[in-house]
Amino acid sequence: MRNITCIEDLRQLARRKVPRAFFDYAEAGSYAQETLRANRAHLERIKLRQRVLVDVDERDTSTTIVGEKVSLPLALGSVAMTGLKHGNGEILACRAAHAAGTQFTLSTMSICSIEDVASAVGKPFWFQLYVMRDRGFVRSLIERAAAANCSALVLTVDLPLLAQRHCDVKNGLSVPPAMKMKNLINMASKPGWVFSVLSGKRWTFGNLAGHVKGMEGVKSLAQWTSTQFDPTLSWKDVEWIRSIWPRKLIIKGILDIDDAKLAAKTGASAIVVSNHGGRQLDGAPSSITMLPKIADAVGADIEVMFDGGIRSGQDMMRALALGARSCLIGRAYIFGLGAGGQAGVAIAIDILKKELDVTMALCGVKSIKEIDHGVIAQV
Ligand SMILES: Cc1cc2nc3c(=O)[nH]c(=O)nc-3n(C[C@H](O)[C@H](O)[C@H](O)COP(=O)(O)O)c2cc1C
């Protein structure tokens, strides 16, 4: 892991170390990937304002996210199947986040279960909830997250059903990995990955296995999962979840001004302006295009978080300037995990933190609360 200087280095290393089906799964967007590309392209076209002769000797990147103190305005977002990018990936990523003074979100579709992570890390983490048709199971997931002392529930609302990623179909992606000849040959060329995943706690969806009635055997579990995402999901469900979840609620997947205003009335602590990293509605606007409009519309009514395309501290600066209080990352830390396990995630966070710190200095700001529209160059 020498000579890693940026997130792109981690991406390239992860591509060499992780079997193709799982690397492609992490990298891809849905359908023609227009929204995936727009997330990056629209961040890059925002230019930062270079300021000089400002004393920026004492800088501080710390802030709070939904009331929790963090060393930088960034948390690790929910990523399904993290434990198949590296064995025990969820535990390793959570440890790296906590060691860096920030937070980790465990996906419903994780490999390590809520209980696996809770018993392996010392501090509360966040749990991301997908609402399934079986509301009894949804309630039990919420109760398990509460029992595991999760400090926030991240309710994902932009996946009433799963959009297609062409590469997953072509690669025959399955959980656990399908032992087809093509996959076996590819896996055989990634011995580090094979060792880490084989020595990991689990190879299937840890939050579902053993908790869903009548689900014996992995195949039926996978089938159950693909039919369980609930297209009837509505604001009534948000109300119900709010009424049974005792702690902070974050609504993730808001990309529309009207939806943002409705979300602000639910009693949730924050929204995440997000298009699921370009993995759901292809043709939707980039997250960064919608961020300032949504931030203006909700004002101080609800905390605004952002994700979609963050690959540098400069990107974080752009999002903070356009109205986000904090950012989530997906691929940036998953590349780190694939490249080097816990150390790789730690490097990813450290790169973003250092880049944000230098960017702040060169824009003439010393603290997160000083960052506003004023750091954007009018070109
Ligand atoms: C491989 C992968 C799996 C994901 N799985 C989930 C998930 O299980 N739940 C969820 O709410 N979001 C999921 N997301 C979306 C991320 O939480 C986040 O919104 C997105 O990755 C942000 O874009 P970025 O990857 O460009 O940072 C996933 C994203 C990726 C890349």
Side-chain angles (χ1 to χ4, degrees):
M1 297 262 284
R2 270 178 299 158
N3 275 334
I4 297 283
T5 58
C6 57
I7 298 296
E8 175 58 19
D9 288 346
L10 291 171
R11 189 186 78 84
Q12 288 186 21
L13 193 52
R15 191 157 60 122
R16 291 207 292 277
K17 290 189 159 188
V18 176
R20 181 163 179 183
F22 294 107
F23 182 82
D24 286 354
Y25 168 72
E27 188 164 62
S30 57
Y31 303 103
Q33 308 191 115
E34 287 174 18
T35 299
L36 174 81
R37 286 192 296 275
N39 276 352
R40 285 287 317 130
H42 296 172
L43 274 165
E44 278 177 12
R45 73 184 185 193
I46 296 163
K47 300 301 165 205
L48 297 170
R49 186 169 164 215
Q50 172 179 306
R51 299 302 307 276
V52 296
L53 301 174
V54 182
D55 176 353
V56 286
D57 190 28
E58 304 262 312
R59 297 177 305 282
D60 180 7
T61 60
S62 68
T63 184
T64 58
I65 309 181
V66 294
E68 297 185 23
K69 282 194 179 139
V70 283
S71 65
L72 77 169
L74 178 94
L76 306 190
S78 37
V79 169
M81 297 193 233
T82 293
L84 291 179
K85 316 301 185 302
H86 192 288
N88 293 335
E90 290 87 0
I91 291 171
L92 302 184
C94 187
R95 284 186 179 146
H98 285 171
T102 185
Q103 255 310 0
F104 167 78
T105 319
L106 183 72
S107 166
T108 294
M109 306 307 289
S110 56
I111 301 298
C112 294
S113 67
I114 301 171
E115 293 78 12
D116 292 338
V117 179
S119 63
V121 304
K123 287 196 243 161
F125 53 97
W126 297 346
F127 180 67
Q128 175 266 327
L129 182 72
Y130 278 133
V131 178
M132 309 274 183
R133 285 181 198 268
D134 180 347
R135 294 299 150 84
F137 178 65
V138 172
R139 180 187 277 273
S140 80
L141 275 176
I142 293 173
E143 287 167 358
R144 286 166 63 195
N149 207 20
C150 291
S151 51
L153 188 73
V154 179
L155 173 64
T156 299
V157 293
D158 58 7
L159 204 144
L161 46 70
L162 192 65
Q164 178 166 299
R165 286 175 299 265
H166 298 323
C167 62
D168 295 348
V169 178
K170 292 191 168 94
N171 289 333
L173 182 82
S174 68
V175 175
M179 294 300 155
K180 290 188 192 143
M181 189 51 77
K182 187 175 88 173
N183 296 353
L184 286 174
I185 293 168
N186 188 246
M187 284 177 203
S189 66
K190 323 278 178 194
W193 179 88
V194 171
F195 177 76
S196 92
V197 168
L198 286 184
S199 50
K201 273 180 186 281
R202 299 174 194 276
W203 309 337
T204 188
F205 296 116
N207 291 324
L208 314 185
H211 293 277
V212 182
K213 280 189 214 106
M215 285 295 129
E216 291 81 28
V218 166
K219 196 152 174 263
S220 56
L221 188 64
Q223 279 161 356
W224 179 86
T225 306
S226 66
T227 55
Q228 274 296 305
F229 288 107
D230 191 353
T232 72
L233 184 64
S234 76
W235 290 104
K236 277 244 158 290
D237 296 296
V238 179
E239 223 173 86
W240 171 65
I241 289 162
R242 176 65 290 183
S243 73
I244 59 173
W245 170 253
R247 306 191 190 112
K248 297 279 159 82
L249 179 68
I250 299 171
I251 301 180
K252 172 174 178 284
I254 299 290
L255 203 64
D256 180 90
I257 291 169
D258 292 342
D259 288 344
K261 287 181 184 163
L262 289 170
K265 290 190 192 136
T266 58
S269 302
I271 53 171
V272 186
V273 176
S274 172
N275 51 33
H276 215 102
R279 294 165 76 83
Q280 283 295 104
L281 177 62
D282 195 32
S286 61
S287 302
I288 199 70
T289 311
M290 292 312 298
L291 173 65
K293 301 174 184 129
I294 290 175
D296 280 353
V298 299
D301 293 348
I302 191 160
E303 189 168 324
V304 176
M305 301 169 70
F306 170 86
D307 79 18
I310 298 276
R311 301 287 183 277
S312 68
Q314 291 82 342
D315 290 338
M316 290 176 65
M317 185 66 144
R318 291 166 168 135
L320 298 173
L322 293 178
R325 281 273 309 272
S326 61
C327 304
L328 294 176
I329 47 170
R331 294 175 183 90
Y333 86 87
I334 288 300
F335 294 150
L337 184 72
Q342 182 173 336
V345 179
I347 289 173
I349 300 170
D350 192 52
I351 286 171
L352 295 174
K353 187 173 179 193
K354 285 185 177 141
E355 288 175 347
L356 175 65
D357 177 59
V358 171
T359 305
M360 284 168 60
L362 297 178
C363 288
V365 295
K366 292 193 285 188
S367 67
I368 299 302
K369 64 175 184 312
E370 280 178 52
I371 302 173
D372 61 17
H373 274 67
V375 305
I376 304 287
Q378 302 303 324
V379 287

